[in-house]
Amino acid sequence: MEKTICELFAGVGGFRLGFDRLDSGWHTTWFSQWEPGAKTQWAHECYIKHFGDCPDLNGEYHTGEDIGTVKKESIPDHTLLVGGFPCQDYSVAHTLASSKGIEGKKGVLWWQIRDTLIAKKPPFCIFENVDRLLKSPAKQRGRDFGIILACLNEQGYSAEWRVINAATYGAAQRRRRTFIFAYRNDTAYANRSNSRSAEEIIGEEGFFAKGFPIKEIGKLRSITLSEDIVDVSDNFAFAFENAGYLHEGIVYTVGVDEIEEAPTLLRDILQANVDESHYITTDKMPKWTYMKGAKKIPRTSADGHEYVFSEGPIAFPDPWDRPGRTMLTSESTLNRSTHVVSDPGTGRLRLLTPIEAERMQGFDDDWTNTGMPNRMRFFCMGNALVVPMITRMGKVLDTIIVEEP
Ligand SMILES: C[S@@+](CC[C@H](N)C(=O)[O-])C[C@H]1O[C@@H](n2cnc3c(N)ncnc32)[C@H](O)[C@@H]1O
């Protein structure tokens, strides 16, 4: 099997860098990255500067366009489809034309992945999403993830998933993400999995158990998925745990405890002698103190109901002896979630530098120093993933691929 990859929602190339670092022959044949509504496509430019562009099967270049406008049949063949896609409303209805067809909401990116699966049938996939995917939406918990699993099942795939906190496996950031590893039911890997129990797969033998070992596994629960995706959309609700396995329409889930490895601490990624522009000026201190502090604010909801919005304090500054918190796209703006550190050299409070943001995500220093403003460097890092997590997954995939004919 060729070690080829297609990277959807590529951002600045976190998946690609993760696989390239393995140096085991992975080659990306196509990618797609387009920021809706943005005049300058900074992430696409950054990606191209590092890796160059990729023609499609017609010899045309469409990597920097809305994936919704791309004919999936023209995407080059690949063994592995990867992508970090957003948590959106995946509900569907029957199309007017046919009760068998389904129609999701416009702009929902999961449907682009499903279209790619239908057109290209890649044997293996790795997808990344936020941890709340498993619990969305609030009114029908688990529906959206149920729809994703039902689509994979419908297209002839089995899947394993794990919610992984990158800090547990050595990263400098407490970032919890849902990772899904899906594989076609006609692969040798699927054949081997068939002879194993769900407990064995989730606990020891599966993709995530191999790459991200666990110490304890709870009590397994299961549910059968309807084959009708509209039925799943209308009626499915399930309390998914942080690990699970889908095979032939049956979903198994269980809570697992991870084996913690020594994390990288915030102090390990801090730079010395940073530019004065990163420091918090005295006039801004009251605003920062307010943002980070506890508050109780009387508010009125849209329907006229009065309530008190309250939030507790968060560490200010962020402690050096822990990994950082989850980095968001608003990192470095005047925002409660922005990291503030006491500079190791001067002792004064400052924000992270773009290089420190890159280090928190495990990218090379200056990865996004490709001409974009600092604000966009933070934005791209907030969108990205923790690269060493992908390299770890790639190592496991290497052992799987060698067994494929
Ligand atoms: C969660 S980020 C993934 C970041 C990536 N994993 C990385 O390491 O940088 C999702 C990406 O999808 C892109 N995107 C959103 N809508 C898109 C569309 N319609 N077509 C192509 N890309 C899109 C966004 O610009 C964003 O960079």
Side-chain angles (χ1 to χ4, degrees):
M1 206 174 256
E2 281 185 31
K3 288 186 167 182
T4 48
I5 303 180
C6 170
E7 182 177 26
L8 298 183
F9 315 112
V12 293
F15 270 106
R16 184 157 178 175
L17 180 60
F19 274 92
D20 280 4
R21 278 185 186 163
L22 276 171
D23 220 1
S24 63
W26 287 97
H27 163 63
T28 299
T29 57
W30 199 73
F31 73 95
S32 164
Q33 166 52 38
W34 176 74
E35 179 65 29
K39 224 161 118 200
T40 312
Q41 292 291 328
W42 295 113
H44 186 261
E45 274 184 24
C46 174
Y47 193 104
I48 297 262
K49 279 187 179 149
H50 284 289
F51 302 114
D53 209 343
C54 302
D56 64 17
L57 289 178
N58 304 316
E60 295 172 12
Y61 291 85
H62 297 292
T63 56
E65 297 166 22
D66 178 0
I67 184 69
T69 64
V70 170
K71 286 210 172 50
K72 308 299 181 287
E73 292 73 19
S74 60
I75 296 178
D77 293 345
H78 47 273
T79 291
L80 176 67
L81 179 66
V82 297
F85 61 107
C87 184
Q88 294 170 297
D89 179 336
Y90 303 124
S91 63
V92 287
H94 288 296
T95 52
L96 288 176
S98 145
S99 66
K100 288 225 172 80
I102 54 168
E103 197 162 44
K105 292 210 163 92
K106 245 188 126 199
V108 174
L109 299 175
W110 167 251
W111 306 112
Q112 301 305 322
I113 293 183
R114 180 173 177 268
D115 290 349
T116 310
L117 293 180
I118 293 170
K120 302 304 302 183
K121 308 222 174 319
F124 296 99
C125 312
I126 303 176
F127 303 125
E128 183 236 13
N129 205 302
V130 292
D131 56 347
R132 73 167 186 284
L133 169 71
L134 300 185
K135 299 197 165 85
S136 296
K139 283 189 188 140
Q140 193 184 337
R141 296 248 180 242
R143 178 200 69 189
D144 287 343
F145 193 52
I147 292 173
I148 287 180
L149 294 180
C151 287
L152 291 171
N153 184 50
E154 179 199 44
Q155 296 310 318
Y157 288 82
S158 294
E160 302 170 26
W161 80 83
R162 261 283 282 285
V163 178
I164 299 174
N165 182 349
T168 306
Y169 293 100
Q173 186 185 173
R174 286 169 275 151
R175 193 178 186 90
R176 284 160 57 87
R177 287 293 183 264
T178 306
F179 287 97
I180 305 164
F181 174 61
Y183 46 94
R184 243 176 31 209
N185 287 330
D186 61 355
T187 54
Y189 180 72
N191 198 26
R192 283 199 303 285
S193 297
N194 281 344
S195 62
R196 292 183 172 132
S197 69
E199 268 115 336
E200 276 176 313
I201 289 170
I202 298 168
E204 296 160 56
E205 298 296 335
F207 180 77
F208 292 110
K210 290 277 186 218
F212 304 86
I214 55 182
K215 57 177 178 226
E216 224 171 286
I217 173 162
K219 197 167 156 6
L220 199 72
R221 289 182 293 117
S222 69
I223 188 169
T224 303
L225 280 173
S226 165
E227 281 178 17
D228 176 359
I229 293 179
V230 177
D231 182 28
V232 176
S233 176
D234 289 346
N235 303 311
F236 183 85
F238 188 58
F240 288 107
E241 307 264 8
N242 64 355
Y245 169 53
L246 158 79
H247 184 57
E248 288 181 347
I250 304 177
V251 178
Y252 304 86
T253 192
V254 63
V256 299
D257 275 345
E258 300 172 321
I259 295 177
E260 282 192 35
E261 296 174 9
T264 307
L265 308 176
L266 209 43
R267 73 162 154 258
D268 302 330
I269 60 139
L270 295 183
Q271 290 186 281
N273 306 321
V274 311
D275 189 84
E276 196 56 34
S277 61
H278 299 296
Y279 281 91
I280 294 182
T281 49
T282 321
D283 57 317
K284 294 267 170 59
M285 266 313 280
K287 275 196 176 152
W288 281 105
T289 312
Y290 173 76
M291 291 271 184
K292 299 278 185 179
K295 43 189 106 51
K296 283 191 165 59
I297 311 166
R299 282 191 182 161
T300 310
S301 65
D303 60 3
H305 169 73
E306 290 188 357
Y307 67 102
V308 176
F309 167 80
S310 65
E311 60 187 8
I314 58 171
F316 180 57
D318 286 272
W320 285 344
D321 59 352
R322 294 196 69 185
R325 290 169 292 105
T326 306
M327 189 165 27
L328 305 181
T329 50
S330 57
E331 181 68 39
S332 97
T333 63
L334 187 63
N335 200 298
R336 185 172 154 87
S337 59
T338 285
H339 291 82
V340 175
V341 291
S342 163
D343 183 86
T346 63
R348 287 158 51 213
L349 295 188
R350 67 166 176 85
L351 310 185
L352 297 182
T353 65
I355 287 183
E356 288 164 348
E358 287 157 352
R359 290 177 180 174
M360 265 177 81
Q361 289 286 43
F363 279 78
D364 300 350
D365 283 5
D366 272 329
W367 185 261
T368 53
N369 193 7
T370 51
M372 67 178 102
N374 276 359
R375 178 179 52 86
M376 290 312 298
R377 293 183 68 181
F378 288 112
F379 181 86
C380 287
M381 280 301 110
N383 249 342
L385 39 73
V386 180
V387 178
M389 298 293 110
I390 302 306
T391 306
R392 251 174 120 125
M393 289 179 208
K395 267 189 198 148
V396 181
L397 197 55
D398 274 343
T399 67
I400 290 174
I401 292 280
V402 288
E403 304 280 339
E404 298 295 324

